[in-house]
Amino acid sequence: MKKRLLIPIVFTLTLLSSGFLQAQDTHMFAVRAGWQNSGIFIDGDELGDPHQAFYAGLYRDDRIVPMLFWGKGIEYMQAGFRIDDDNRSVFHYISVPLYLKFKVGPVFALGGVAGNFRVGQTNWTNGEKSKASGDDQINFFDIPAHVGLGVTFFRVTVEARYHWGLIPLDTEPDIMKQYFQLGAAVNF
């Protein structure tokens, strides 16, 4: 468990502290948080009801050329599904998003991938809460692709991103995760 948490943190801190792909010495650091709606899909059909939670993290954008930025960050997030109030699963992740951002004035579009490292799982079965064991079938790692839109006013950014899992959630090849994030960031 400690190794699983250490890998994404070291990787992200290295990216945040470097001038990776930085053509100019212009960068922006921000703290972001927001609401997330996630679901588990089997052959394109959603399993149960979506799980609603929050996400929070840090990111840094480095200018490559005017209007084009390279972004990287680290976030805590939850994903999952709910059959009913007594039967649900929640997966806890440390996410390392990497993306390109195209910005015109205050408006921007972004697209990229993230490395999601599962650091925990909580299940409720017939109302009884339990932690998942280490030998479960759920993958420890996921790579979702994402696209998003946003706008920046002074030091506040509002953005929406949609993520599609590219790696199956478990040993079944057709069980995938998708989630939508709506949030805000304060830029420094």
Side-chain angles (χ1 to χ4, degrees):
M1 174 71 166
K2 290 181 183 179
K3 287 182 184 176
R4 287 184 181 181
L5 187 58
L6 186 62
I7 293 169
I9 289 173
V10 169
F11 177 72
T12 302
L13 290 176
T14 302
L15 283 176
L16 288 173
S17 65
S18 72
F20 190 68
L21 286 181
Q22 187 173 348
Q24 300 177 19
D25 192 26
T26 305
H27 60 271
M28 177 185 61
F29 179 77
V31 176
R32 77 170 134 209
W35 168 81
Q36 177 173 297
N37 187 44
S38 66
I40 306 300
F41 293 81
I42 301 174
D43 291 327
D45 296 324
E46 190 165 17
L47 174 65
D49 293 326
H51 175 72
Q52 297 184 21
F54 73 96
Y55 70 94
L58 308 168
Y59 70 93
R60 176 179 164 158
D61 289 344
D62 292 308
R63 183 185 313 259
I64 299 172
V65 295
M67 299 191 305
L68 186 62
F69 295 82
W70 166 250
K72 58 252 180 214
I74 187 167
E75 296 175 354
Y76 168 78
M77 58 164 251
Q78 296 178 350
F81 64 95
R82 202 176 72 140
I83 303 300
D84 56 37
D85 286 337
D86 292 333
N87 298 289
R88 56 193 163 117
S89 290
V90 177
F91 310 105
H92 306 272
Y93 288 95
I94 297 295
S95 179
V96 181
L98 304 170
Y99 55 88
L100 287 174
K101 180 187 282 187
F102 181 74
K103 187 173 182 185
V104 177
V107 179
F108 63 86
L110 59 87
V113 297
N116 291 349
F117 299 86
R118 185 172 57 94
V119 294
Q121 178 180 345
T122 308
N123 299 317
W124 287 264
T125 305
N126 296 324
E128 296 292 321
K129 182 178 177 179
S130 65
K131 300 283 184 188
S133 64
D135 59 350
D136 60 12
Q137 299 293 319
I138 305 298
N139 283 333
F140 141 78
F141 183 70
D142 182 27
I143 299 177
H146 65 272
V147 296
L149 295 171
V151 64
T152 301
F153 299 103
F154 303 106
R155 293 189 171 269
V156 176
T157 298
V158 177
E159 68 179 3
R161 296 180 287 166
Y162 197 84
H163 303 251
W164 294 270
L166 301 177
I167 295 177
L169 187 64
D170 68 4
T171 56
E172 296 295 322
D174 298 326
I175 300 176
M176 305 298 271
K177 179 174 62 212
Q178 295 180 24
Y179 52 100
F180 173 74
Q181 294 178 324
L182 180 63
V186 177
N187 308 310
F188 300 99

